[in-house]
Amino acid sequence: EIVLTQSPGTLSLSPGEIATLSCRASQSVSSNYLAWYQQKPGQAPRLLIYGASSRATGIPDRFSGSGSGTGFTLTIGRLGPDDFAVYYCQQYSSSPYTFGQGTKLEI
Amino acid sequence: EVQLVQSGAEVKKPGESLKISCKGSGYDFSTWWIAWVRQTPGKGLEWIGIIFPADSDTRYSPSFQGQVTISADKSLSTAYLQWSSLKASDTAIYYCARHNYLIDWGQGTLVTVSS
């Protein structure tokens, strides 16, 4: 089973700043089958990025994904008030399709 | 518009059985994987398993294998997650979602297991 470790656990930033979130895998994620999700309180998660770097439909270009193998990054540029949420990475290259433990982005 | 609509909240006692549902619309239900995800109160997301409705090919996380059963009825465009004997530790929100990377999500079903 691939274990995903996200860092930091909590990231405190201000609106307008840039956020960099990390997701490290215990073994290589083949074909870069890595996705990122955003979850706000009381809501279902929302897909942001798939294939490590492809934005999902309707996701603004302030959100970008990068990385390969065992190291992946989600970058959020020019943080807006709506971006403060919990972010999860997920690998879907090898069943079980595991999630990271999440990074809370707070003001 | 793709929609996944889940059944309503449930309150059960330990040892009881339960089957929750997820109905898809707006796409060809048979030809897209449906996954189930658990979220315990204040905790993160856990991948339970996935099913391909066209042939009922199903994969489970080892953590959930034997604890739950995933099924689907393609004629009803509905996927199911069921327990034969609930435990208090099954208390959580359960989400269904479409595809192996989870493009669309249901609204979640809160399952509360308490004596």
Side-chain angles (χ1 to χ4, degrees), chain A residues 1 33 35 37 39 42-47 49-51 88 90-92 95-101, chain B residues 37 39 43-48 50 59-63 95 99-108:
Chain A
E1 172 174 325
Y33 283 170
Y37 304 88
Q39 188 179 31
Q43 297 184 18
R46 176 176 70 145
L47 175 68
I49 300 287
Y50 63 95
Y88 295 95
Q90 182 215 9
Q91 65 80 22
Y92 54 97
S95 180
Y97 298 157
T98 46
F99 290 93
Q101 82 279 18
Chain B
V37 175
Q39 186 163 40
K43 296 285 180 67
L45 305 172
E46 297 175 274
W47 189 86
I48 298 171
I50 199 166
R59 293 108 191 259
Y60 292 93
S61 166
S63 299
Y95 293 101
H99 201 39
N100 45 14
Y101 59 88
L102 308 171
I103 304 171
D104 305 287
W105 293 68
Q107 82 277 20

Side-chain angles (χ1 to χ4, degrees), chain B residues 45-113:
Chain B
L45 305 172
E46 297 175 274
W47 189 86
I48 298 171
I50 199 166
I51 188 166
F52 192 69
D55 61 7
S56 292
D57 182 11
T58 307
R59 293 108 191 259
Y60 292 93
S61 166
S63 299
F64 292 91
Q65 180 87 46
Q67 308 304 308
V68 297
T69 301
I70 294 171
S71 60
D73 185 334
K74 59 187 179 183
S75 69
L76 298 177
S77 297
T78 301
Y80 303 96
L81 179 65
Q82 68 182 87
W83 297 258
S84 59
S85 181
L86 286 160
K87 309 180 188 68
S89 57
D90 293 319
T91 295
I93 298 173
Y94 293 86
Y95 293 101
C96 64
R98 183 171 70 110
H99 201 39
N100 45 14
Y101 59 88
L102 308 171
I103 304 171
D104 305 287
W105 293 68
Q107 82 277 20
T109 296
L110 174 61
V111 174
T112 304
V113 184

Side-chain angles (χ1 to χ4, degrees), chain A:
Chain A
E1 172 174 325
I2 297 177
V3 176
L4 299 180
T5 303
Q6 293 186 240
S7 60
T10 303
L11 185 57
S12 299
L13 293 172
S14 300
E17 293 192 294
I18 297 172
T20 304
L21 287 66
S22 173
C23 176
R24 190 149 301 273
S26 61
Q27 54 190 279
S28 184
V29 177
S30 62
S31 304
N32 291 337
Y33 283 170
L34 193 287
W36 290 93
Y37 304 88
Q38 176 194 68
Q39 188 179 31
K40 298 176 184 176
Q43 297 184 18
R46 176 176 70 145
L47 175 68
L48 299 174
I49 300 287
Y50 63 95
S53 60
S54 297
R55 272 185 300 277
T57 302
I59 302 302
D61 59 9
R62 298 186 296 102
F63 291 86
S64 63
S66 63
S68 63
T70 60
F72 300 87
T73 300
L74 174 69
T75 303
I76 311 170
R78 302 186 311 281
L79 285 168
D82 199 42
D83 298 332
F84 293 92
V86 180
Y87 292 83
Y88 295 95
C89 57
Q90 182 215 9
Q91 65 80 22
Y92 54 97
S93 72
S94 170
S95 180
Y97 298 157
T98 46
F99 290 93
Q101 82 279 18
T103 290
K104 182 178 181 180
L105 179 55
E106 63 176 25
I107 297 178

